[in-house]
Amino acid sequence: MSEHEFGESSLVEHLVELRARLVRALLGLGVVLLGLLPFSRTLYTLVAEPLISQLPNGQSMIAINPAGAFFAPLKLTFFLALFVAMPWLLYQLWAFVAPGLYAREKRLAVPILGSSVLLFYIGCAFAYFLVLPAVFHFLTTFRPDVIAITPDANAYLDFVLAIFFAFGGSFELPVAMVILTLLGWVTPQQFKEGRGYAVVGIFVLAAVLTPPDVVSQLMLAIPMCLLYELGIHASKWLVPSSARQTEP
């Protein structure tokens, strides 16, 4: 077999493997989605609880669009299915790329992927249990009495999902710092020396990602500052290991 034919055969094998992994990933996501669909209304009620608990008794959400009451729970259920199935989706990605990685890369990739998923989950849980109740309490407490809060179901869901992704993504900061260190682009010492600039950048980012209230901004900025310190220590811990691996 010529080199050209061997290359084409290898490419076809990779494409077949990629298709198989995509099918398995979608099937897993579909199974989770089907399992959650019967509970879509209950799930939406749980997600709406941080706001409903702050509204006057008897007041609830509205649906400006007649189909909103139907599609909002379905939209939430899809995102929750994606959220729950994320480890399975990442495993399929890992199974596809792992054969082409060196042993050291495999050892590092597994904890990095695991940490990234765990930190995203922690960020979303932090947003749901702490941030959203505090934000809605602040907003409903300091509103003028002449203004009644009648939230739209779809608009509320978009707001909550944005908060979840903002906090889940922001909690990935230590993982991003570790990856930059492993790539050799930034050293732990540079992270340490740039701490002041990082804190300013974190507060600016928190102001952009969160609603225009000081409560949510502080509740994002302060954990990110702590996570930045965690990223420095994790990067410092990896440097000696990296150096040993690169020695002849």
Side-chain angles (χ1 to χ4, degrees):
M1 182 182 292
S2 67
E3 182 178 347
H4 177 70
E5 291 174 337
F6 177 79
E8 288 184 347
S9 176
S10 178
L11 176 60
V12 171
E13 291 176 357
H14 280 83
L15 292 177
V16 170
E17 175 69 12
L18 176 60
R19 184 183 65 179
R21 292 297 173 185
L22 287 175
V23 170
R24 293 174 187 174
L26 292 176
L27 285 176
L29 177 61
V31 169
V32 176
L33 180 59
L34 290 175
L36 292 178
L37 277 177
F39 308 100
S40 58
R41 291 189 298 178
T42 302
L43 293 172
Y44 191 91
T45 301
L46 289 174
V47 171
E49 178 61 25
L51 176 57
I52 297 300
S53 62
Q54 302 297 328
L55 296 179
N57 291 334
Q59 188 173 344
S60 59
M61 295 186 181
I62 62 173
I64 297 177
N65 185 334
F70 174 77
F71 285 111
L74 292 182
K75 181 179 178 180
L76 172 64
T77 304
F78 172 77
F79 278 100
L80 286 177
L82 190 64
F83 180 83
V84 173
M86 188 56 64
W88 171 253
L89 301 179
L90 289 176
Y91 169 75
Q92 296 302 321
L93 174 63
W94 165 253
F96 177 71
V97 302
L101 300 178
Y102 294 107
R104 174 175 172 268
E105 294 172 336
K106 291 180 180 180
R107 289 197 301 269
L108 292 173
V110 172
I112 287 176
L113 284 175
S115 300
S116 64
V117 173
L118 180 61
L119 286 172
F120 187 85
Y121 284 171
I122 292 175
C124 292
F126 182 83
Y128 178 77
F129 289 106
L130 295 177
V131 177
L132 290 179
V135 169
F136 293 137
H137 177 74
F138 176 83
L139 295 177
T140 55
T141 300
F142 293 97
R143 67 175 175 84
D145 293 335
V146 295
I147 299 178
I149 298 179
T150 54
D152 173 64
N154 270 309
Y156 172 80
L157 180 59
D158 291 340
F159 174 82
V160 170
L161 290 177
I163 291 293
F164 282 164
F165 281 109
F167 276 80
S170 298
F171 272 50
E172 301 289 336
L173 179 61
V175 176
M177 294 171 66
V178 166
I179 292 175
L180 291 176
T181 301
L182 292 174
L183 292 175
W185 294 356
V186 187
T187 65
Q189 184 62 29
Q190 288 174 322
F191 280 131
K192 187 176 181 180
E193 294 172 353
R195 182 185 285 113
Y197 298 102
V199 170
V200 174
I202 285 171
F203 274 87
V204 172
L205 182 64
V208 172
L209 294 179
T210 59
D213 66 276
V214 68
V215 176
S216 58
Q217 292 172 10
L218 288 176
M219 294 187 77
L220 178 58
I222 293 175
M224 284 190 68
C225 290
L226 298 177
L227 290 169
Y228 185 84
E229 295 298 323
L230 176 62
I232 292 177
H233 289 291
S235 300
K236 288 171 65 177
W237 176 77
L238 283 172
V239 165
S241 175
S242 310
R244 287 194 301 267
Q245 293 290 343
T246 54
E247 287 178 356

